[in-house]
Amino acid sequence: MQRIIQVLWPSFIAAGVMDIVLFTLLDPIALIYQNAPLFTTRLGAYSLGFFLFWLFGAVSSALTCYFQCSTAQLNKICKSSEPKK
């Protein structure tokens, strides 16, 4: 549980900051794709942007945690998930 919090909390904060910075510089209603607006409401754009940033931050934090593990720890995880013979 502690590892999950270590991954999700920093990525949540980073997503909030990235969302603020991006949408301070960019109006989501002004985004056009094939002559049609990409978003119909600003709230939808803000929400989608936040959750995408959170996802990318969580993946980045999870990979950092994974690469910090030693090979002994990774082998222990793999052995515990193998079926018993």
Side-chain angles (χ1 to χ4, degrees):
M1 187 63 167
Q2 183 179 2
R3 183 72 65 160
I4 293 171
I5 293 170
Q6 288 174 344
V7 168
L8 291 180
W9 185 241
S11 61
F12 177 83
I13 293 170
V17 171
M18 288 188 289
D19 206 40
I20 290 168
V21 170
L22 177 70
F23 291 119
T24 298
L25 302 172
L26 179 73
D27 182 13
I29 299 297
L31 296 174
I32 296 173
Y33 179 72
Q34 294 184 352
N35 296 328
L38 199 55
F39 299 102
T40 55
T41 65
R42 285 184 174 91
L43 183 61
Y46 299 152
S47 300
L48 180 65
F50 176 79
F51 285 115
L52 284 176
F53 289 146
W54 196 7
L55 175 69
F56 291 144
V59 168
S60 174
S61 295
L63 285 173
T64 300
C65 288
Y66 175 76
F67 289 127
Q68 283 182 338
C69 292
S70 67
T71 53
Q73 290 171 322
L74 292 175
N75 288 334
K76 182 180 175 184
I77 292 170
C78 292
K79 285 181 183 177
S80 66
S81 64
E82 290 179 359
K84 304 270 181 180
K85 292 181 181 178

